[in-house]
Amino acid sequence: MRALQRRACTMLRVALLASIVASTAPLQPTLWQRCAADAAGGCVGGLAKALAVYPLDRAATRLEVRTRHNATAPRGPRLRELYRGCGVVALFAAPYAVAFHAPYVLAEHHLQRRGVDAALAAALAGLAGAVAAAPVGVPAECCKRRVQLGAGRGAALRGGFSLFDGFAATLARNVPYNAASFGFFALLRARGWPRGLAGVGAGVATAVATHPIDVVDARQQTARLSAAQELAVAE
């Protein structure tokens, strides 16, 4: 847990430093300041959200991927077991935030300058961000899920091209999820909804709609590990 805490603190410091630089650099173009600020905010917010609900995320993975190993794996200390794999989340938090938010900001800015409706611009920008961040997000999620199911962090990170298992399924989930959630959020905000309520409404609606694809994604990303675990149990 100490190593995990050190990683999380390091990521938060990096994100905070990027946020300070973005807000105190008057010579930089405003657009790039926004890219840096959004990436820093996305990193901090995404990491905080992931840590807050991580036990639920781990439970969801184990329910989506049912193997004999899930029932027979030895349990470690309760808190450590509940947060197994969250070090991977901290490791990929900053790269994923940059890979997603920079294309999102640039695409939204370009579309709005061309007179595209705000909600449609947000939806298309969310689509662009999801596609651009997939090469970072897929390995991160694949590693996290494998560690949640019992693989060691080192073994999960050394998966080679297997880290991109489920790439198509991830895109099939993330593209509509981000396009719909950002577009729906902008639409609700334009109609006067409070920011928090609009965010919850957009997030819940899109999460429910894309959950079946998430199940397929989880099973594809952990298929190699599940097969190896089943073989080990059988032997």
Side-chain angles (χ1 to χ4, degrees):
M1 286 300 294
R2 290 182 179 177
L4 173 61
Q5 291 173 353
R6 286 197 297 268
R7 288 177 189 161
C9 289
T10 300
M11 298 303 299
L12 289 173
R13 287 170 185 165
V14 170
L16 180 60
L17 178 61
S19 179
I20 293 173
V21 170
S23 62
T24 59
L27 296 180
Q28 294 182 3
T30 302
L31 184 59
W32 293 108
Q33 289 184 36
R34 186 187 163 196
C35 286
D38 279 19
C43 176
V44 174
L47 190 56
K49 181 191 75 172
L51 293 177
V53 301
Y54 192 82
L56 296 176
D57 179 71
R58 174 183 172 277
T61 297
R62 295 174 73 88
L63 288 172
E64 290 172 349
V65 185
R66 294 182 179 275
T67 67
R68 192 185 309 173
H69 179 78
N70 283 348
T72 60
R75 303 292 180 180
R78 185 168 180 78
L79 184 61
R80 183 177 180 180
E81 182 69 17
L82 287 176
Y83 280 88
R84 179 180 178 85
C86 63
V88 176
V89 177
L91 180 65
F92 283 93
Y96 183 81
V98 172
F100 179 86
H101 286 282
Y104 176 90
V105 170
L106 295 174
E108 185 182 44
H109 176 76
H110 175 74
L111 291 167
Q112 288 182 344
R113 286 190 62 182
R114 289 181 170 271
V116 178
D117 177 74
L120 179 58
L124 294 175
L127 185 154
V131 173
V136 178
V138 173
E141 195 169 67
C142 196
C143 288
K144 179 196 72 174
R145 282 173 163 162
R146 290 175 180 179
V147 174
Q148 286 176 337
L149 292 179
R153 282 191 293 269
L157 288 169
R158 290 195 300 269
F161 285 109
S162 72
L163 293 177
F164 291 91
D165 286 352
F167 191 91
T170 301
L171 277 181
R173 180 200 63 194
N174 285 357
V175 167
Y177 175 87
N178 285 285
S181 60
F182 281 98
F184 193 34
F185 174 78
L187 180 63
L188 293 177
R189 287 288 293 156
R191 295 190 175 185
W193 285 47
R195 179 177 292 273
L197 189 58
V200 170
V204 170
T206 50
V208 170
T210 59
H211 181 71
I213 308 176
D214 184 66
V215 175
V216 174
D217 185 32
R219 292 177 179 176
Q220 288 185 358
Q221 289 181 341
T222 58
R224 297 175 195 249
L225 176 66
S226 298
Q229 289 174 340
E230 292 289 345
L231 181 61
V233 171
E235 291 176 352

